[in-house]
Amino acid sequence: MPLTETDVRWVEAPKLGFWDQLYLPAMVDGLKTTLGHMFSKKITEQYPEQEPTLPPNYRGVHRLNRDEAGRVKCVACYMCATACPAHCIDIVAAPAPTEWKDREKYPETFVIDELRCIYCGMCEEACPVDAIELTTLYDLTGASREQMVFDKEKLLSVFDQTTKAGTDPVRSRAGKLGAASEPPPQ
Amino acid sequence: MPQFDLVTALILIVAVMGGGLGLVAYLTLGERKVSAWIQDRVGPNRVGPFGLLQPLADGGKFFLKEEVIPAHVDRIFYVLAPAVGVITALLALAVVPVGGATPPPDPAPTVAAFDQAQADYRSKLNLVIAPGIDVGVLYVFALGSLAVYGVILAGWSANNKYSLLGAMRSSAQIISYEIPLGMAVLGVFLIVGSLNLERIAAWQETHTWWLVFFQPLAALLFMISAYAEGSRLPFDLPEAEQELVGGFHTEYSSMKLGLLLMTEFIHLITAGFMMSILFLGGWSLFGLENVSADPTVTAVLKAGILLTKMFLYCVFALIVRWTIPRFRFDQLMNLAWKVMIPLGLANVVCVVVALQFGAPLWVLTAASAGLFLVAGCIAVRAAGSITNPKRAVRKLPPGMPVGVTYAGR
Ligand code: SF4
Ligand code: SF4
């Protein structure tokens, strides 16, 4: 719909009064504000000494969740790899060991390139069995690029580390896997 | 012209240069600290206690950084520019008393009287490198206008359009603001009857009341022009990081950049000294400077008072920098030519009239206030703001409704 004449509202700058025109009162006002802030409480966090308290939905390093039996929860459905906009998840699926009754597949390797990841959290949203989660770990460093490519063991160890430290409780349903774990209906 | 002691002068040179450069270093830290505090942060605090060694780290970094001279620059002027900037800035400190000083003796009618006056003068402590320069203030202003060469050379030789734009702005700005700067102090010269900085300070000591009480408007104009001369925010258009990358020093690196940045702070210190001596009573503090009969204590007290005033001015400049946003270039020029120069002129006229008719000096205070208020009234009549006047619309642009009477720029 094109704009009509009545849609346009003409606004004129407000007229400055005598005190505004003198400039000085406004400047004094500004100085009062800045001086007030000079002596007000500082909001800086002294980072290495003082750790920030992060919101629970902070998107840091990934982890692969374990179920109650300590097995990897992932059922290698490739949903996360498909959802990932950065294409940084690489999964090789294999048939699940026969004693694992509740699922058909499991990931033989599960690799995330943490340097390519943009920490968007799509993988977490995509996962049907809540196997992949983003934790509040943010200070991740490595001496080489290779070290920043996290494999399955590393991702599971992030789970152990964060759940033990209590910083990241398992947010999603523990235990029962979703429909993605079951064999396709015949 | 008093004879002066070479040894004292050399000691003073070392002290003033060392102290001045040290203060410059700590002003850079102060700038960062003040900006942090104003923004509710703590500022640099990792190097040394409370970050007090930060300037050393910065200086060391400047020396260790790679020195890049781009291939497209005019090498001679490129290398010369920072030196010109710093040298002219430092030279201005030579005539500035950094502590108590005695006004130089007038020429005496007989040789014996002259020698007596000289001996008298030399028996007193004079904390000024080049004492008794009767063109004192003019010398400082002359060097202040030379400072623009540093900026222009830097911007021009760098062969870069941002640098050149910064340099052009700077030349227009510094040359424009020199006029109100001069106008502001003209009243002081007329009242005191001397251009000599020691005399001006001594006048205020004997009259108890500082010149800022008689010339508040001039003091205000002086302060604003001094900010503009030193390219400090709100007048830092030559650098204007947001639009000109770094302005005239875009192409500089390493210690050359360091020197160019230092220049700004040396100008600030000089402005602080000038403001303290011309308007804020120099080394006097309502008689407090003479409480002790001991000459050493008095000298220390006077130096302390003067340095404190200068330092407070610098701190104030830092706070102003983080308070007031930058002017647009046309606003800057309007402020100089349409507001400050007429006000300065009117102020000089008031001083001349008052002195001619022997009116008490307090009349000038009232005159300053009156001029200021009249300027406000004129601005109200001009409808826009002083720095951005609105013009009546003669021909309405198509589509503009009839109710609109003024068009902003
Ligand atoms: S957070 Fe985003 S980019 Fe990173 S692995 Fe998950 S989906 Fe890919
Ligand atoms: S979406 Fe979940 S279950 Fe599927 S492959 Fe990714 S982590 Fe495994």
Side-chain angles (χ1 to χ4, degrees):
Chain A
M1 200 183 78
L3 283 182
T4 63
E5 200 66 8
T6 46
D7 289 333
V8 182
R9 207 157 58 84
W10 285 88
V11 183
E12 280 199 75
K15 256 186 116 149
L16 295 184
F18 179 69
W19 292 110
D20 303 321
Q21 292 285 11
L22 283 183
Y23 272 33
L24 278 197
M27 304 251 151
V28 173
D29 227 30
L31 283 172
K32 264 200 308 223
T33 310
T34 41
L35 275 178
H37 276 278
M38 262 184 97
F39 300 106
S40 67
K41 200 173 161 300
K42 305 299 167 218
I43 56 169
T44 307
E45 270 174 4
Q46 299 289 348
Y47 164 58
E49 293 96 28
Q50 193 187 344
E51 300 262 334
T53 45
L54 295 168
N57 59 351
Y58 184 86
R59 299 201 297 268
V61 183
H62 310 77
R63 70 179 177 204
L64 272 181
N65 286 348
R66 294 177 188 277
D67 59 12
E68 300 96 336
R71 301 170 303 177
V72 60
K73 251 174 124 182
C74 171
V75 294
C77 69
Y78 288 86
M79 297 272 225
C80 53
T82 312
C84 177
H87 301 305
C88 61
I89 306 182
D90 186 61
I91 306 165
V92 174
T98 37
E99 61 273 21
W100 293 12
K101 290 280 175 268
D102 55 348
R103 71 192 76 172
E104 199 183 37
K105 290 193 294 176
Y106 89 112
E108 195 166 29
T109 64
F110 192 109
V111 180
I112 299 182
D113 187 343
E114 299 285 345
L115 288 179
R116 266 174 76 179
C117 172
I118 57 169
Y119 299 94
C120 61
M122 300 275 219
C123 44
E124 177 171 345
E125 276 189 44
C127 183
V129 296
D130 300 322
I132 192 166
E133 272 181 351
L134 272 68
T135 66
T136 54
L137 279 190
Y138 54 88
D139 45 355
L140 100 151
T141 52
S144 68
R145 285 176 179 274
E146 288 69 45
Q147 282 183 18
M148 301 301 289
V149 178
F150 281 23
D151 59 5
K152 193 168 83 178
E153 304 313 311
K154 189 87 191 256
L155 290 165
L156 285 170
S157 75
V158 175
F159 174 82
D160 297 337
Q161 186 189 337
T162 47
T163 43
K164 261 197 212 99
T167 47
D168 289 277
V170 182
R171 290 192 290 279
S172 36
R173 294 165 287 134
K176 196 178 169 317
L177 296 177
S181 66
E182 276 133 37
Q186 298 303 318
Chain B
M1 176 77 193
Q3 298 161 343
F4 67 98
D5 199 2
L6 196 60
V7 181
T8 326
L10 283 179
I11 294 174
L12 264 177
I13 289 175
V14 172
V16 171
M17 293 296 123
L21 293 184
L23 185 58
V24 165
Y26 277 91
L27 278 178
T28 60
L29 175 66
E31 178 113 283
R32 295 166 66 181
K33 277 283 191 192
V34 168
S35 74
W37 290 334
I38 285 177
Q39 295 160 3
D40 288 344
R41 297 182 284 117
V42 274
N45 64 348
R46 296 280 151 165
V47 193
F50 305 106
L52 281 178
L53 297 181
Q54 185 73 38
L56 285 183
D58 288 348
K61 195 185 81 172
F62 269 133
F63 276 111
L64 294 176
K65 280 231 159 172
E66 185 186 356
E67 169 105 49
V68 182
I69 301 187
H72 56 74
V73 301
D74 185 327
R75 280 184 82 95
I76 295 178
F77 291 129
Y78 179 86
V79 174
L80 200 60
V84 171
V86 172
I87 290 173
T88 50
L90 278 175
L91 273 179
L93 284 175
V95 292
V96 177
V98 290
T102 326
D106 288 321
T110 65
V111 174
F114 180 75
D115 286 347
Q116 178 62 38
Q118 288 287 12
D120 261 2
Y121 178 74
R122 256 178 296 148
S123 69
K124 299 192 181 102
L125 181 67
N126 291 298
L127 288 179
V128 47
I129 294 174
I133 304 278
D134 279 335
V135 293
V137 185
L138 283 190
Y139 170 83
V140 175
F141 285 177
L143 282 169
S145 37
L146 273 185
V148 75
Y149 282 92
V151 175
I152 292 182
L153 279 182
W156 193 21
S157 66
N159 213 347
N160 166 324
K161 53 190 162 218
Y162 291 121
S163 302
L164 189 60
L165 270 175
M168 296 321 289
R169 283 182 181 189
S170 174
S171 45
Q173 170 180 335
I174 296 186
I175 289 168
S176 301
Y177 276 87
E178 217 130 79
I179 304 170
L181 193 72
M183 297 259 182
V185 282
L186 218 52
V188 171
F189 303 154
L190 287 171
I191 294 173
V192 177
S194 171
L195 285 171
N196 185 311
L197 286 167
E198 293 115 281
R199 273 192 218 282
I200 294 173
W203 185 94
Q204 298 178 76
E205 190 182 354
T206 44
H207 285 69
T208 313
W209 294 105
W210 306 341
L211 278 162
V212 68
F213 294 110
F214 304 126
Q215 292 276 286
L217 184 61
L220 185 70
L221 293 181
F222 183 85
M223 196 173 75
I224 297 173
S225 331
Y227 285 153
E229 282 280 297
S231 307
R232 284 204 55 89
L233 229 127
F235 304 105
D236 74 333
L237 285 135
E239 297 178 32
E241 295 88 353
Q242 295 89 336
E243 33 189 297
L244 292 186
V245 192
F248 64 95
H249 56 58
T250 308
E251 296 285 359
Y252 281 85
S253 55
S254 179
M255 201 54 208
K256 292 206 189 64
L257 175 67
L259 287 181
L260 286 174
L261 298 181
M262 263 166 60
T263 315
E264 187 188 322
F265 286 101
I266 302 174
H267 280 302
L268 181 63
I269 293 177
T270 316
F273 271 124
M274 297 296 284
M275 185 79 195
S276 321
I277 291 166
L278 291 176
F279 291 104
L280 299 178
W283 51 78
S284 68
L285 191 72
F286 304 115
L288 203 71
E289 72 280 5
N290 285 326
V291 280
S292 156
D294 186 353
T296 329
V297 177
T298 313
V300 170
L301 254 183
K302 283 181 173 177
I305 291 171
L306 181 58
L307 292 178
T308 311
K309 284 178 187 171
M310 185 272 293
F311 184 71
L312 288 181
Y313 173 87
C314 292
V315 172
F316 182 68
L318 297 187
I319 298 175
V320 165
R321 163 166 192 172
W322 296 100
T323 304
I324 301 170
R326 179 186 300 136
F327 282 77
R328 212 170 53 207
F329 197 68
D330 59 325
Q331 292 175 334
L332 181 88
M333 286 293 148
N334 275 337
L335 185 67
W337 291 95
K338 293 190 186 164
V339 182
M340 292 179 49
I341 293 177
L343 271 181
L345 261 179
N347 183 51
V348 172
V349 171
C350 287
V351 174
V352 171
V353 171
L355 289 180
Q356 181 66 27
F357 291 104
L361 285 172
W362 288 108
V363 171
L364 288 175
T365 318
S368 285
L371 280 178
F372 190 62
L373 295 181
V374 168
C377 292
I378 294 175
V380 171
R381 255 196 71 75
S385 61
I386 307 178
T387 50
N388 190 15
K390 290 184 174 176
R391 293 189 232 115
V393 175
R394 297 235 169 65
K395 206 173 125 223
L396 280 180
M400 219 183 206
V402 262
V404 179
T405 42
Y406 290 105
R409 295 225 163 148

